[in-house]
Amino acid sequence: TLSLWVGALLMVSSLKVDVDRKERFKSYQTYFGRLITFLMIGIAQSFIVAMGDIFILKAFVVDKLFFVLFAIIISISFVTIIYTLVSVFGNTGKVLAIMLMVMQLGGSGGTFPIQMAPEFFQRIHAFLPFTHAISLLREAVGGTVWSVAAVHIAYLIVYMLLAITVGVGLKQFFNRSSDKF
């Protein structure tokens, strides 16, 4: 999960998020055009990471196909969130993505049980994308229980849709303000 977030963050940091001559396009055209490019790269990254986990690291995975598919779903969600932050807020979005990553490391229950974390992290645990991504991958590792997996997939889709809504809704406003600056 961490490698998928870091991969998305590095991709968005190293590739150009905005287009040249943006006056030729509407803000949503720019947003979705670049998002599709980043999603395709994110899907390739997640495929490589998942296959590397299975075949290079020899991680025990019961449902290998679903492990790869879940990694792709997670990557799509993470890329959308991070791309939206950077597309709307620029370099500040990169900082927000890093802060969100650090907060999720402590609050997602991936490094140690959430019951051992401070109360703040226990309260935000259910609302963090890492929480649902980790749980989804755990489903594939131990054997997929679809009633559990569906809930985590739904959360990741909701995060992705929220990011798209923010991206389409705020990109024009923030880009117009920053272009003047």
Side-chain angles (χ1 to χ4, degrees):
T1 300
L2 179 61
S3 64
L4 296 175
W5 186 275
V6 170
L9 185 60
L10 289 173
M11 175 180 46
V12 172
S13 294
S14 59
L15 299 176
K16 196 171 174 186
V17 174
D18 230 344
V19 296
D20 295 329
R21 298 186 291 171
K22 34 177 143 168
E23 65 277 352
R24 292 179 46 205
F25 305 101
K26 295 184 182 341
S27 64
Y28 70 89
Q29 292 172 324
T30 303
Y31 176 80
F32 284 115
R34 287 290 188 192
L35 178 61
I36 291 169
T37 302
F38 284 99
L39 287 175
M40 292 299 114
I41 297 169
I43 289 169
Q45 281 181 340
S46 63
F47 181 79
I48 292 167
V49 166
M51 296 302 275
D53 287 345
I54 294 169
F55 295 110
I56 295 173
L57 297 178
K58 306 273 190 232
F60 176 78
V61 178
V62 171
D63 295 328
K64 291 174 178 52
L65 175 64
F66 290 120
F67 185 80
V68 173
L69 292 176
F70 292 165
I72 290 171
I73 292 168
I74 292 165
S75 179
I76 289 170
S77 181
F78 287 0
V79 167
T80 304
I81 292 167
I82 295 169
Y83 169 77
T84 299
L85 288 171
V86 175
S87 178
V88 172
F89 301 113
N91 286 333
T92 305
K94 293 175 189 176
V95 172
L96 291 172
I98 292 169
M99 288 173 46
L100 186 56
M101 178 186 69
V102 170
M103 189 170 25
Q104 291 184 101
L105 286 174
S108 63
T111 52
F112 51 87
I114 192 62
Q115 294 81 3
M116 297 178 67
E119 186 178 336
F120 170 75
F121 289 122
Q122 290 180 26
R123 290 186 185 272
I124 66 170
H125 170 73
F127 305 105
L128 299 173
F130 267 35
T131 298
H132 304 289
I134 290 168
S135 296
L136 190 58
L137 290 177
R138 284 180 180 158
E139 284 301 309
V141 167
T144 306
V145 176
W146 283 104
S147 60
V148 175
V151 170
H152 297 299
I153 290 170
Y155 270 102
L156 292 170
I157 290 171
V158 166
Y159 292 133
M160 183 181 67
L161 293 175
L162 284 171
I164 289 171
T165 303
V166 167
V168 171
L170 296 179
K171 181 169 178 55
Q172 183 178 10
F173 173 75
F174 277 101
N175 285 174
R176 202 173 339 149
S177 300
S178 65
D179 288 346
K180 289 178 185 176
F181 180 70

